Structures are given as structure tokens and as C-alpha cells.
Amino acid sequence: MSRSDKENLLLALLGLATIVACCFLVLILSGLIYRGWPALDWEFLTAPASDFGRQGGVFYQILGTLILMIGAGLISVPIALASVLFFTEFSPQKTGLETYRTLIFTLNGVPTILFGLVGYLFFSQFLGIGVSWLTGVLILSIMILPTIQVSILEAVSAMPLSYRETGMALGLTPEQLIRSVVLPQCGYGVLTGTLLGCARAGGETAAIMFTATAFSGVQLPESLHDPVTTLQTHILTLSQEAIDPQSVTTAWGSGLVLMAIVFTLIAASYLIRLRVANPDGGQA
Amino acid sequence: MNAPIIELKGVCIAYNQRTVLERINLSLHSKEITTLLGPSGSGKSTLLKSLCRMNDHIKGFSLEGTVEILEEDIYASGVDVYELRRSVGLVFQKPVMFPRSIYENMVLGVKRTRPEWRSQFSDRVEQSLKEVHLWDEVKDRLQEHATRLSQGQQQRLAIARTLIGEPQILLMDEPTSSLDPKSKEALESLAIELAKKCTLVWVTHDVEQAHRISDRVVYILEGKVFDREKASHTTVSPDIQQISKGRGKRSFFSRQGIEGS
């Protein structure tokens, strides 16, 4: 086989792999839209579920998902930001940064069910919070922490050294450097990390299934110890009733709503990155 | 001869135990332009940055001996390194502009370090930009992105941004190396003007430039210093007490020693 034949073969294999990867995404999306669209209308989005989720809408499921997502984000972002800034700005000569980076990636690789299990034992049982939205928020905040940390760390690491040196040369203290140089230059990392972290929390089922959610009979939590109902739990439970066509349609509709929320967050983070990469909007 | 404004006594600098500069003894006087001249890698930038402790964050950096600025050992414990850097400004080889407006770039440092000047920011911006002869070129577009300025304008803006903090000493690390001949000439003239106001230490590997602008040329070769005086182009009348007027002499760089200007 000649060198050009080998190159063509490699190109064909790479192209095929790309097409397969794209096809999966298109298939999932088109299947979701095709099957979920009939369930979607204004009432589906604004009405509470009835008849054990078979009828009605997903209003409280949407609210439950948003509560867990936003709550997790609110707890995670300050912790992620503070920990990254501690190692990049305050640790003398970046001591421990590599260990920290390794820990983040390790935490990112932990199966989510383990977060649920440990969270259940610690928050629900040991601290006595029980199966509640707060337990879910705390578990999800730990789970999405590495996603946000990685995004912030990448943004801080990508900041040109010359920016940092210029700030230092102007006599800025580490705290002043953070406020004047690091945060304005790396704020996009915080924002995209938050959005991606929230998207990850929004898509999570296993960790919150037995720690924070209930399927039916739940509306808005009235205390720290109340569970919530979420789109994920709704889809999971309705899918188990596959013989009932109405349940399946509602499950697909819920899936489409969840996908829309997650995609909105991912698209927003993508747009922010795009804006940072091209701040003048393409003008000189 | 007046007391030196910068004095190095037996200074040895090393990175990871590898000696870069050895046993340097040097005295620099106020309101002079001193150029550190030497080939690439000779250690001149390292020496320059040691005068404002900008090498501290580099892993493996170590300095032995004494570096005195205004008669205070800047490497002694208890020295406020941030206050030191406000008094000893540094201009880099390539101008660093933040992707913000010209005005915001100008006040980037003083906004945090001199908040008491807030009401005077506009006047100080104008004054500093005039000092570097940039005011007429940018006065109508202070809100424009600084990155849109030419390289020469950016370098003058970088100098103005340092000057706005009123440093006593200005360190310049090959400031003309990325400029065209016209901007280079303008910056050299500017340096000579600025020397009336503050002490300049200028790093270059351009022998002709060193002799054009300097009161004094210090050669650095293979980590050693060879010092030579040059006929002065200005009437230098340094008075250390005048320079430190209004500042506590014993703890020049400590927070308690600084009085609001």
C-alpha cells in the first residue's frame, strides 16, 4: 500500500468515526423531538402532574430540577473559585497546584452513584437531613465541583503571564490582582464552568434518586427536609411503565424539556467562550 | 558624590543553584539614566527585575547579598514588596495592554493601590499621558480599546500607566526592542526627559543606544558586571533627601512608612 493510499484510508476512518459520533447525537435528538413533541404544549409546561404522572404536565418537575441545579451552583461556585485562586494566586510558587489538579480530575471520574451513596449516608443519615432537596443540592454541589474547578483553572492557566506580571509590577497585592486582573480576564471561565456544572447537575439522576427526590405527591418544598420531584425521576419512573402509551409520551416530553434546559446552558457557555475568543466580534 | 539611590553589595543571583549573576557591587545615583548593557542571556533583565523583586515568584530563584534602595534593604524581612513595586516601576519589553479602554488601562493599578486619588484620576491620566506625549493622540478616544493603538503608542501608554503611580525609580526592560525606528527615537527622547523627574535603569543590548541615552553604562557579561561612567548629558544634581521628601526614611517600603500624597 502506497503512502497516499494509507493517508486516504486514515482520512476515511477518521471521517467515518466523525459521522458515527454525529449520527448518534442526531438520532438521539431527532428521536427525542419526534416522540416528545406531541406531549409538548403550554399546559404540559405549566400544569402539575396528575394520575401518578401519566396525565397533566411537568411544572413542579421543572421547578424541582431548577432548584437542585441552581442550589448546587450557588454552593459550588464560591468553593471552586476560592480553591482555584488559593492555589494559583496565594500558594507560594504554586506549591501543591499539580496535586490539586490531579485531585480535581480524580473527583471528576468518581461514578455519580457513589456520590449518591456517600451523600445519603453522610447528609441524610449522619447529619439527619433525610431525603430532601437540601441533601440533593449538597450532593450535586460536590459532584459538579470538579467541572467548575476545571473550567476556572483552565481559564486562569490560559491567562497570559504578562497580564499577571504587569499587575504585579504596578504594585497590586494578590487580592488586588485577583480583582483587577484575574477575575476580569477569567470571569468567562467562572461563568462557563457554572453553566456546564449546572447542566451536569440537571442531567444527573442516580445521585439524587434515593436522596432528594420523590416521584409523586410532591410540589414545592416547604422546609429543608422536604424532597422535590424532578424531570429525571419523572422520566425514570414513567419509562418503567412502558406498556402505557400515555406514560411513554409524557416521559419523552419530559425528556425533551430536560434536554432543552441542558442544551440552553451548554449553548450559553459555548456563546460566552466564542465571545471571549473573539471579543471584537470579528472586527479589527 | 551623593548617596546612591540604588546600591548592590555582593549580590549573587541563582536559579536552582545555577549562578546567573555573581558578586555584584554597584551604586546608582538618582536622576540618572543607567543602562545595563550586555548580550542576550547575560543576566541583565534578571538584575533589573531584582530591583523590584519581580523574580520572587520564579521557582528556584535565590539572591544573596544586599540590594538597597533609598538606603533600605529591599530583601530584608518585613519589607512591603507591593509598596516597593509602586515606588520602583517596571516597563516590560513588549507593552502589555489589557483588553479594556485606554482610560481603564491607565488607572488599572492606581484604582486599587491609590484609591484616595479617585477624584484626581482624570487629571492624573491627562498629566501622565502628556508626560509621554500621548495625550494629543488619544485624548478624544480614551474609551477606545487600548489594544487598537500602535505598538509605539502602547509602549508609551505602558510607561504612562507606570508613571501615574509616581514611582521614584523607573526600570525599563528593552522597551524599544519591538518598536520601529521612529518610535524608538521618540522613546529615547522621552527617557531623557523622564530622567529629570526620576531615576531610570534601562536594559538594552544595543551599544549605540546605550551610549546615546545614558549617563552611565554598566556592562554585564557572563554574570559579571563591568561598570563605566559616561559623560553626562544632563545636569545631575541628586539629592537623596529631596527624593525621599514626605516619606519615612527608615521604613520607606513598609505600609506604616508611607504617607498619603
Side-chain angles (χ1 to χ4, degrees):
Chain A
M1 191 184 281
S2 69
R3 207 174 81 178
S4 66
D5 286 343
K6 279 181 186 172
E7 280 177 4
N8 287 337
L9 182 66
L10 181 68
L11 197 66
L13 286 173
L14 291 175
L16 189 67
T18 310
I19 290 167
V20 168
C22 291
C23 277
F24 276 125
L25 185 66
V26 172
L27 272 175
I28 292 169
L29 276 179
S30 54
L32 196 60
I33 292 167
Y34 176 73
R35 290 167 186 273
W37 194 257
L40 275 193
D41 56 29
W42 183 245
E43 199 191 334
F44 185 74
L45 298 173
T46 55
S50 60
D51 191 19
F52 290 97
R54 289 185 201 97
Q55 303 290 326
V58 288
F59 180 66
Y60 289 111
Q61 283 76 8
I62 293 173
L63 282 186
T65 303
L66 291 176
I67 286 172
L68 293 186
M69 273 168 48
I70 294 167
L74 285 176
I75 293 176
S76 260
V77 171
I79 297 173
L81 186 60
S83 61
V84 170
L85 292 177
F86 173 77
F87 281 106
T88 57
E89 308 304 316
F90 290 99
S91 171
Q93 299 184 336
K94 312 277 184 285
T95 312
L97 183 60
E98 278 314 305
T99 314
Y100 173 70
R101 203 187 288 266
T102 310
L103 278 174
I104 294 174
F105 284 107
T106 308
L107 192 64
N108 214 9
V110 173
T112 57
I113 189 70
L114 292 182
F115 282 105
L117 188 62
V118 174
Y120 176 73
L121 291 174
F122 184 72
F123 297 117
S124 290
Q125 301 295 308
F126 183 71
L127 295 183
I129 303 173
V131 176
S132 83
W133 67 273
L134 183 60
T135 304
V137 161
L138 292 170
I139 292 170
L140 288 177
S141 66
I142 298 168
M143 208 189 77
I144 66 172
L145 197 58
T147 306
I148 303 175
Q149 281 170 324
V150 166
S151 181
I152 299 174
L153 191 59
E154 274 178 6
V156 175
S157 305
M159 188 177 81
L161 180 65
S162 55
Y163 285 177
R164 190 184 301 282
E165 285 189 331
T166 301
M168 284 164 64
L170 291 171
L172 296 177
T173 63
E175 179 263 330
Q176 292 167 338
L177 195 71
I178 287 171
R179 287 167 65 194
S180 288
V181 178
V182 180
L183 284 182
Q185 295 310 127
C186 306
Y188 76 93
V190 181
L191 213 53
T192 53
T194 307
L195 294 171
L196 290 175
C198 286
R200 192 178 170 205
E204 180 52 34
T205 311
I208 55 165
M209 201 167 55
F210 55 95
T211 57
T213 62
F215 172 61
S216 63
V218 174
Q219 291 190 337
L220 279 178
E222 288 172 359
S223 79
L224 295 178
H225 298 281
D226 286 346
V228 284
T229 177
T230 64
L231 287 166
Q232 302 94 301
T233 323
H234 202 62
I235 296 164
L236 184 75
T237 313
L238 290 175
S239 305
Q240 289 164 350
E241 298 178 19
I243 48 165
D244 179 9
Q246 183 57 43
S247 295
V248 174
T249 306
T250 308
W252 281 111
S254 305
L256 191 55
V257 174
L258 183 62
M259 196 65 139
I261 294 173
V262 170
F263 266 41
T264 304
L265 293 173
I266 293 172
S269 69
Y270 175 73
L271 286 174
I272 291 166
R273 275 186 190 273
L274 208 64
R275 177 128 183 92
V276 169
N278 192 9
D280 291 343
Q283 291 167 12
Chain B
M1 181 68 80
N2 295 285
I5 191 167
I6 299 170
E7 188 156 29
L8 288 82
K9 296 173 186 167
V11 170
C12 296
I13 295 176
Y15 289 114
N16 299 313
Q17 270 96 51
R18 190 179 63 85
T19 304
V20 179
L21 293 162
E22 51 186 308
R23 283 194 297 281
I24 295 171
N25 294 296
L26 194 63
S27 299
L28 307 181
H29 295 272
S30 67
K31 295 187 181 177
E32 280 187 354
I33 302 179
T34 303
T35 50
L36 304 179
L37 180 65
S40 297
S42 58
K44 49 192 192 304
S45 290
T46 297
L47 179 61
L48 187 84
K49 288 179 180 175
S50 298
L51 302 179
C52 58
R53 291 187 57 173
M54 279 293 287
N55 293 321
D56 286 16
H57 69 288
I58 299 171
K59 224 170 188 169
F61 170 79
S62 65
L63 182 144
E64 286 173 24
T66 315
V67 180
E68 284 184 5
I69 290 185
L70 287 162
E71 298 181 52
E72 187 172 349
D73 180 3
I74 62 165
Y75 282 86
S77 62
V79 167
D80 184 343
V81 69
Y82 309 109
E83 200 54 60
L84 165 75
R85 289 176 189 151
R86 288 164 204 164
S87 300
V88 184
L90 174 65
V91 175
F92 294 90
Q93 190 172 356
K94 283 185 182 167
V96 178
M97 290 296 114
F98 292 89
R100 303 175 204 176
S101 69
I102 293 169
Y103 183 85
E104 280 179 63
N105 266 278
M106 279 298 293
V107 298
L108 184 110
V110 289
K111 200 160 83 175
R112 302 282 177 214
T113 59
R114 303 281 186 240
E116 67 274 15
W117 290 355
R118 190 167 291 272
S119 58
Q120 312 159 24
F121 278 172
S122 298
D123 293 338
R124 284 178 183 271
V125 165
E126 182 179 338
Q127 186 194 329
S128 298
L129 287 171
K130 278 179 177 168
E131 276 182 89
V132 298
H133 307 292
L134 192 58
W135 175 248
D136 289 336
E137 292 162 56
V138 301
K139 64 181 177 190
D140 298 323
R141 47 188 188 127
L142 289 174
Q143 298 309 320
E144 262 184 37
H145 253 224
T147 47
R148 290 183 183 169
L149 296 174
S150 73
Q151 195 83 345
Q153 287 174 319
Q154 286 186 17
Q155 190 60 293
R156 278 184 285 154
L157 183 61
I159 296 170
R161 182 173 59 194
T162 306
L163 288 177
I164 199 172
E166 296 186 348
Q168 308 289 304
I169 298 164
L170 193 57
L171 311 175
M172 303 179 99
D173 189 5
E174 297 190 48
T176 58
S177 64
S178 57
L179 304 184
D180 59 88
K182 198 179 164 192
S183 304
K184 195 171 171 177
E185 197 181 320
L187 211 63
E188 287 176 9
S189 309
L190 174 64
I192 293 166
E193 276 180 49
L194 290 175
K196 291 170 190 162
K197 183 185 167 183
C198 59
T199 307
L200 258 78
V201 185
W202 178 298
V203 161
T204 183
H205 55 250
D206 182 340
V207 181
E208 285 178 15
Q209 182 181 59
H211 288 90
R212 266 199 306 273
I213 63 167
S214 308
D215 296 299
R216 182 176 186 183
V217 181
V218 173
Y219 296 91
I220 301 179
L221 196 63
E222 292 173 353
K224 293 190 176 73
V225 158
F226 303 90
D227 195 4
R228 202 186 86 174
E229 298 278 348
K230 178 184 175 278
S232 173
H233 62 263
T234 54
T235 310
V236 182
S237 56
D239 183 344
I240 202 75
Q241 295 306 326
Q242 266 186 355
I243 300 296
S244 34
K245 194 178 172 185
R247 293 178 185 270
K249 191 181 168 190
R250 271 198 63 76
S251 54
F252 185 73
F253 300 117
S254 65
R255 286 188 194 284
Q256 60 271 34
I258 293 295
E259 294 167 16
S261 299

